Amino acid sequence: MVKQIEKLPDHVCIIMDGNGRWALSRGLERNVGHRQGVEAVRAATEYAAEKGIPYLSLFAFSEENWGRPKSETDAIMSVIVNAIHNETPKMMKNNIRCVFIGDREQLDNKALKRMDDCMRQTAGNTGMTLIVAVNYSGKWDILQAVKRLLEENPPAEQLLSPEVFSSYLSTAGVPEPDLMIRTSGEMRISNFMLWQMAYTELYFTPVLWPDFRKPDFEAALNAYSNRKRRFGKIEESI
Ligand code: IPE
Ligand code: IPE
Ligand code: MG
């Protein structure tokens, strides 16, 4: 019998790390690891949707990743662009709404078109929301929110409200992540959703992203379900 996980998160975000090491440890080129990572994206998305998790966010490419050799950034971008194209029919079938977040400035027209087509096609789906962060960084997100706030010039007291500020972030309307999973053993946030992760439960696993499958996701959910979230309060007042 399948054991029920007691407390499910509403929003899981994943820093998908370890593609390069996965490939190198097999004597393969790093880019093979990026291609292999798509399999893990498929498994994680399917699992989250099956479990009834309302929001899943995946960190696919960071602003800092442009610092890698062009041959690698080109390869990662083409993996992303192809995956969007190939996975959209499955998202339609599974009633998944897909949203892309990140700075669009440095992305080429082909990538932007694929992202926009996918968002448009899946916009009416009412199941899980899949948020894919491409050319994203947490500091960028906060700065773009501040810029838009300044442009719109709302009354000063509104600027002081975390709720109003959140509504200018690229994740407006999305609950803050309850659980962050990072694969590959690195224990850092690497400029992901900085504001949004203020009270997120962090889970680190040594599993490299291309190997991450449903049992690994389940282990993370089980760990989450045993966490005591206090939000600064004490047990009795929660
Ligand atoms: C994560 O895997 C994918 C991206 C950052 C785009 P890495 O490419 O960072 O893999 P490692 O960390 O070098 O093993
Ligand atoms: C974080 O992984 C970014 C993504 C998973 C897209 P990195 O491999 O780029 O992070 P660092 O450099 O180890 O912090
Ligand atoms: Mg890495």
Side-chain angles (χ1 to χ4, degrees):
M1 213 182 85
V2 184
K3 196 176 144 277
Q4 281 296 314
I5 296 166
E6 274 166 34
K7 185 182 64 177
L8 277 179
D10 285 324
H11 183 182
V12 178
C13 66
I14 307 185
I15 302 182
M16 311 184 287
D17 198 12
N19 295 350
R21 276 164 284 171
W22 182 91
L24 294 177
S25 71
R26 286 164 173 75
L28 303 166
E29 278 181 46
R30 293 178 54 85
N31 293 340
V32 181
H34 297 309
R35 289 200 291 275
Q36 194 61 31
V38 177
E39 211 51 59
V41 169
R42 203 173 289 139
T45 308
E46 252 178 50
Y47 181 76
E50 246 168 61
K51 282 277 157 199
I53 293 170
Y55 296 91
L56 175 69
S57 299
L58 302 176
F59 200 5
F61 191 90
S62 76
E63 245 184 338
E64 291 80 7
N65 287 146
W66 292 117
R68 299 186 182 198
K70 188 172 183 301
S71 55
E72 182 163 343
T73 57
D74 283 351
I76 299 171
M77 279 302 158
S78 92
V79 166
I80 294 172
V81 166
N82 290 332
I84 296 169
H85 182 69
N86 296 336
E87 301 303 315
T88 305
K90 212 167 292 155
M91 292 182 209
M92 293 308 294
K93 190 171 153 262
N94 296 330
N95 197 21
I96 293 170
R97 180 172 73 106
C98 185
V99 179
F100 292 90
I101 59 169
D103 190 353
R104 295 168 61 95
E105 291 285 305
Q106 292 110 302
L107 299 179
D108 66 28
N109 287 335
K110 188 175 176 189
L112 292 174
K113 184 172 182 324
R114 284 277 167 92
M115 284 161 45
D116 291 342
D117 285 348
C118 175
M119 285 199 274
R120 208 175 308 118
Q121 267 196 59
T122 62
N125 291 346
T126 54
M128 185 174 81
T129 299
L130 175 66
I131 298 154
V132 184
V134 181
N135 194 26
Y136 179 88
S137 92
K139 289 187 181 178
W140 164 81
D141 202 356
I142 292 168
L143 282 178
Q144 69 77 29
V146 170
K147 277 184 209 151
R148 286 202 295 133
L149 263 166
L150 291 174
E151 276 163 21
E152 290 180 21
N153 201 17
E157 65 275 11
Q158 278 197 12
L159 282 169
L160 299 172
S161 144
E163 288 74 26
V164 170
F165 187 77
S166 295
S167 74
Y168 284 80
L169 291 170
S170 61
T171 48
V174 174
E176 291 178 353
D178 300 296
L179 170 66
M180 186 281 270
I181 301 172
R182 184 174 186 146
T183 56
S184 90
E186 305 301 344
M187 297 195 213
R188 53 177 169 264
I189 290 171
S190 297
N191 209 356
F192 197 27
M193 299 179 174
L194 297 179
W195 170 283
Q196 296 89 332
M197 285 212 274
Y199 258 107
T200 301
E201 293 296 324
L202 309 181
Y203 178 86
F204 300 98
T205 170
V207 175
L208 300 175
W209 179 250
D211 289 329
F212 192 83
R213 289 295 179 274
K214 293 180 182 183
D216 305 302
F217 205 149
E218 186 170 33
L221 292 185
N222 278 323
Y224 172 79
S225 146
N226 291 323
R227 299 276 176 96
K228 290 207 162 41
R229 302 185 78 187
R230 284 184 284 275
F231 299 99
K233 302 175 186 139
I234 59 167
E235 209 92 351
E236 297 90 274
S237 48
I238 298 171

